[in-house]
């Protein structure tokens, strides 16, 4: 028998065995699958004692086959080891084969993972950057909007808000709170957090800066009209004199398309979010920052982000009076 026969099923097999024994490919459906008449009895016993099969057709895509469809190897005993080659054939002249099913390589998963679920008000606030990060990663998510005091108090009563605050995100069997903790987890999970600690700390520095700028905008919405106008004017001034010059210099110094490691990261996503928020206050804010202007165009055209920027997406509009009223009513401030 030829060892390369294994390629028929898309498997990679070792080339030799210890003389005196034979590796036998066994499928867990049916009881006897790929055996010679002399070894059926011993193989039946060994099949019952096998561990749960875990081999996949490809290391890059988890198998979605049912337990009975998994393939694994046993150590079988035979008087003939067939030149120390691996037995793998669908030819009945070589051995007795009973009902070997046909398989597709890399089948599509049959069970979809649960979508992340976001709990927050129907507006931007501290949740918007989380929406941006998930959308940029191409991850679909669900939202439950808090619109009444009763909803909020139930979350508190159930002990789901660690420090009595939203945003809250259900993901991977966990209930997460605290904005930066959630963002850091998502960035790491979706490979948007740099390749090493040095890149990660730079991403943290840049995102902390843009978060500070965006928080100034979020807080301004809850101030009296005159004070709000003054606060938003200060946001534009700070963007032009403190924040945007820093990022313009970063792009100029390394001459790359992205902020960190020349790879798309959380830092790029959040900087674009901040730029667009400030542009809502002053459309000409990037007039003195040509590299940031080009950066904005470049990142906006990444397919997942381009989709998120389209009308009808889960991106939220700037806070209006209704949003402010609901938040004040629920949180009693």
């Amino acid at each position: 028998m030829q060892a390369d026969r294994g390629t028929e099923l898309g498997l990679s097999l070792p080339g030799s065995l210890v003389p005196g024994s034979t590796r036998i490919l066994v499928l867990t459906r049916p009881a006897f699958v790929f055996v010679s008449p002399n070894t059926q009895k011993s193989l039946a016993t060994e099949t019952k004692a096998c561990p749960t099969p875990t081999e996949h057709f490809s290391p890059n895509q988890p198998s979605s086959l049912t337990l009975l469809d998994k393939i694994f190897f046993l150590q079988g005993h035979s008087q003939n080891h067939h030149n120390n080659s691996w037995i793998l054939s669908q030819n009945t002249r070589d051995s007795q084969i009973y009902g070997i099913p046909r398989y597709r390589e890399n089948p599509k998963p049959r069970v979809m993972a649960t979508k992340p679920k976001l709990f927050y008000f129907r507006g931007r606030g501290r949740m918007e950057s989380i929406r941006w990060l998930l959308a940029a990663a191409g991850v679909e998510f669900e939202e439950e909007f808090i619109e009444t005091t009763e909803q909020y108090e139930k979350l508190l009563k159930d002990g789901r808000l660690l420090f009595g605050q939203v945003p809250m995100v259900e993901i991977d069997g966990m209930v997460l709170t605290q904005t930066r903790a959630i963002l850091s987890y998502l960035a790491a999970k979706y490979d948007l957090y740099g390749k090493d600690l040095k890149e990660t700390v730079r991403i943290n520095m840049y995102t902390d800066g843009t978060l500070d700028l965006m928080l100034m905008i979020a807080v301004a919405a809850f101030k009296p009209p005159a004070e709000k106008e003054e606060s938003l004017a200060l946001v534009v001034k700070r963007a032009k004199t403190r924040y945007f010059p820093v990022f313009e210099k970063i792009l100029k110094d390394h001459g790359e398309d992205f902020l960190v490691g020349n790879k798309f990261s959380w830092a790029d996503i959040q900087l674009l979010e901040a730029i667009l928020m400030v542009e809502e206050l002053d459309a000409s804010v990037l007039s003195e920052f040509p590299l940031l202007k080009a950066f904005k165009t470049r990142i906006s055209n990444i397919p997942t982000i381009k989709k998120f920027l389209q009308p009808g997406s889960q991106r939220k509009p700037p806070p209006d009076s209704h949003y402010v009223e609901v938040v004040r009513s629920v949180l009693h401030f």
Side-chain angles (χ1 to χ4, degrees):
M1 236 177 274
Q2 300 299 318
D4 62 0
R5 299 288 288 277
T7 59
E8 293 175 8
L9 292 180
L11 298 172
S12 177
L13 305 177
S16 64
L17 293 171
V18 177
S21 65
T22 301
R23 288 279 187 178
I24 300 175
L25 176 65
V26 178
L27 292 100
T28 56
R29 178 202 299 165
F32 294 99
V33 180
F34 193 21
V35 297
S36 66
N38 294 331
T39 58
Q40 286 186 3
K41 185 174 181 180
S42 62
L43 180 59
T45 302
E46 292 188 55
T47 302
K48 294 178 182 178
C50 287
T52 301
T54 57
E55 296 291 323
H56 302 316
F57 284 115
S58 168
N60 297 321
Q61 179 172 345
S63 171
S64 62
L65 300 178
T66 61
L67 178 62
L68 290 179
D69 288 336
K70 299 258 188 172
I71 290 180
F72 64 106
F73 293 98
L74 296 173
Q75 182 72 33
H77 302 285
S78 175
Q79 295 178 350
N80 299 314
H81 57 271
H82 299 280
N83 298 322
N84 298 331
S85 65
W86 284 77
I87 298 177
L88 183 61
S89 173
Q90 292 177 306
N91 193 329
T92 56
R93 291 175 300 177
D94 296 328
S95 63
Q96 293 185 355
I97 305 172
Y98 297 84
I100 296 179
R102 296 182 179 272
Y103 293 95
R104 294 194 310 270
E105 187 174 353
N106 294 334
K108 293 182 180 179
R110 295 174 182 171
V111 180
M112 297 298 291
T114 303
K115 295 178 183 179
K117 188 171 184 179
L118 283 50
F119 294 77
Y120 200 69
F121 303 100
R122 196 186 296 270
R124 289 181 180 176
R126 302 301 296 269
M127 183 65 86
E128 190 69 357
S129 293
I130 296 170
R131 298 184 185 107
W132 267 85
L133 190 48
L134 286 168
V139 179
E140 294 183 355
F141 58 90
E142 299 175 349
E143 297 189 82
E144 181 171 316
F145 297 115
I146 299 172
E147 297 179 326
T148 66
T149 302
E150 289 72 25
Q151 283 178 280
Y152 185 69
E153 288 179 347
K154 186 176 188 308
L155 293 175
L156 290 171
K157 183 178 179 181
D158 292 344
R160 307 184 74 196
L161 302 181
L162 189 62
F163 298 107
Q165 299 172 317
V166 288
M168 183 187 90
V169 175
E170 290 180 350
I171 185 171
D172 296 340
M174 300 183 293
V175 176
L176 303 181
T177 59
Q178 301 303 111
T179 307
R180 282 181 171 83
I182 297 169
L183 288 167
S184 297
Y185 178 78
L186 296 176
K189 178 179 175 68
Y190 298 114
D191 194 24
L192 296 165
Y193 215 9
K195 70 176 185 295
D196 55 33
L197 283 174
K198 288 184 177 180
E199 288 192 358
T200 297
V201 75
R202 287 168 62 200
I203 290 170
N204 284 336
M205 286 194 301
Y206 300 161
T207 54
D208 276 4
T210 48
L211 276 174
D212 290 345
L213 179 61
M214 292 188 294
L215 186 58
M216 292 173 64
I217 300 175
V219 171
F222 294 88
K223 295 182 177 181
E227 192 175 341
K228 174 183 175 181
E229 188 174 338
E230 183 180 336
S231 294
L232 294 178
L234 179 60
V235 167
V236 174
K237 181 180 178 181
R238 289 275 177 85
K240 287 181 176 181
T241 61
R242 178 182 296 182
Y243 293 98
F244 290 173
V246 169
F247 292 110
E248 183 80 3
K249 185 177 186 303
I250 291 168
L251 293 171
K252 182 179 180 180
D253 287 349
H254 64 44
E256 297 172 342
D257 289 342
F258 305 105
L259 290 175
V260 179
N262 202 26
K263 181 183 176 183
F264 184 54
S265 74
W266 171 25
D268 302 304
I269 299 165
Q270 201 161 274
L271 177 56
L272 176 62
E273 181 189 1
I275 288 172
L276 295 180
M277 289 179 70
V278 178
E279 281 189 329
E280 290 171 347
L281 306 176
D282 181 352
S284 65
V285 72
L286 292 184
S287 60
E288 298 177 10
F289 305 101
L291 296 181
L292 278 180
K293 204 179 234 183
F295 172 88
K296 171 196 163 186
T297 301
R298 187 164 57 248
I299 304 302
S300 295
N301 281 303
I302 291 173
T304 53
I305 292 182
K306 188 174 184 178
K307 180 180 178 181
F308 188 61
L309 294 175
Q310 297 301 310
S313 77
Q314 289 170 289
R315 185 186 179 209
K316 300 299 181 282
D320 57 15
S321 59
H322 176 71
Y323 167 76
V324 171
E325 181 182 342
V326 170
V327 174
R328 287 187 181 279
S329 173
V330 170
L331 300 181
H332 302 294
F333 77 91

